[in-house]
Amino acid sequence: KDTLALTPEDRCLNVMPLFHIHGLSAAVTASLAAGASIWCSPGFDALRFFGWMRSSQPTWYTAVPTMHQALLTRAGRNSDVIEEVKLRFLRSSSASLPAQVMNELADTYKAPVIEAYGMTEAAHQMASNPLPPQPQKPGSVGIEAGPQVRIAHETENRLIDDVGEVVISGPNVTPGYESNEDANKSSFFEAQGRRWLRTGDKGQFDSDGYLQ
């Protein structure tokens, strides 16, 4: 809610399934927390999306990169809808968004593209490109947006300032995996007075604090 500056004036066109943490938390729960509205589709359908867009008059939508790419292939023949429905932003998460696709989306919709990085173990969101006037960096998943995000040595239980494994800590991070002690031993470690969860992803921060 805070990352996207959601207000009661916003409406999300949700094409994500509600059993998916992306749809349930990013689209629905965040909107409800802001007093905003959600228009839920019966499922993703690139052929019907722009009709839904005209009907629902959203201020934003959120999707995975493959969905965004499918919509780009049909955007040209629906330019009238895109011109009519002025999106405040669009959001991408759940997989890496290629930089060229991010740029094409921004050019097509004339709106900022907010790429976010999340996982179920963190109640979905961990980092996000911010809204303007802060920059959105193609190829980056943005700055911390929820738990603390750091980089750890890939085999040693310590934090580093280099390329390594992305780790997270905070009250929205799962305390562990039920009935799987092996996973808990390999996935969590203590450092600097906090308990860190290994994500399995490799990353590094740039000089502006954007995670790649």
Side-chain angles (χ1 to χ4, degrees), residues 21 118-126 147 168-177 183-184 187-188 197-201:
I21 192 80
M119 62 190 294
T120 301
E121 288 89 338
H124 177 59
Q125 184 170 277
M126 302 185 294
I168 55 174
S169 178
N172 58 319
V173 178
T174 183
Y177 299 103
N184 289 329
S187 299
F188 294 90
L197 169 65
R198 293 183 174 275
T199 65
D201 295 329

Side-chain angles (χ1 to χ4, degrees), residues 117-124 126 147-153 157 159 165-170 172-177 182-191 194-201:
Y117 168 49
M119 62 190 294
T120 301
E121 288 89 338
H124 177 59
M126 302 185 294
Q148 287 193 357
V149 183
R150 298 290 185 272
I151 304 298
H153 192 281
N157 290 333
L159 304 182
E165 185 171 1
V166 179
V167 295
I168 55 174
S169 178
N172 58 319
V173 178
T174 183
Y177 299 103
D182 289 342
N184 289 329
K185 288 177 182 178
S186 63
S187 299
F188 294 90
F189 69 92
E190 303 278 343
R194 300 185 69 93
R195 188 168 186 254
W196 299 93
L197 169 65
R198 293 183 174 275
T199 65
D201 295 329

Side-chain angles (χ1 to χ4, degrees), residues 58-185:
T59 59
W60 67 290
Y61 80 91
T62 184
V64 301
T66 52
M67 292 176 178
H68 286 301
Q69 289 174 298
L71 295 174
L72 280 174
T73 65
R74 301 192 60 80
R77 69 196 76 175
N78 291 281
S79 57
D80 58 329
V81 180
I82 293 171
E83 181 64 27
E84 174 190 333
V85 182
K86 302 289 189 183
L87 295 179
R88 185 163 70 86
F89 64 88
L90 53 152
R91 184 178 182 277
S92 183
S93 190
S94 300
S96 178
L97 183 68
Q100 67 272 18
V101 176
M102 184 176 184
N103 288 329
E104 189 176 352
L105 286 167
D107 290 342
T108 298
Y109 290 94
K110 302 296 187 289
V113 180
I114 308 303
E115 183 178 9
Y117 168 49
M119 62 190 294
T120 301
E121 288 89 338
H124 177 59
Q125 184 170 277
M126 302 185 294
S128 178
N129 273 272
L131 287 165
Q134 291 180 271
Q136 295 81 46
K137 292 193 177 185
S140 166
V141 292
I143 57 179
E144 275 186 350
Q148 287 193 357
V149 183
R150 298 290 185 272
I151 304 298
H153 192 281
E154 292 183 61
T155 58
E156 300 173 11
N157 290 333
R158 58 186 177 88
L159 304 182
I160 60 174
D161 293 317
D162 201 351
V163 179
E165 185 171 1
V166 179
V167 295
I168 55 174
S169 178
N172 58 319
V173 178
T174 183
Y177 299 103
E178 187 173 356
S179 304
N180 194 339
E181 285 308 308
D182 289 342
N184 289 329
K185 288 177 182 178

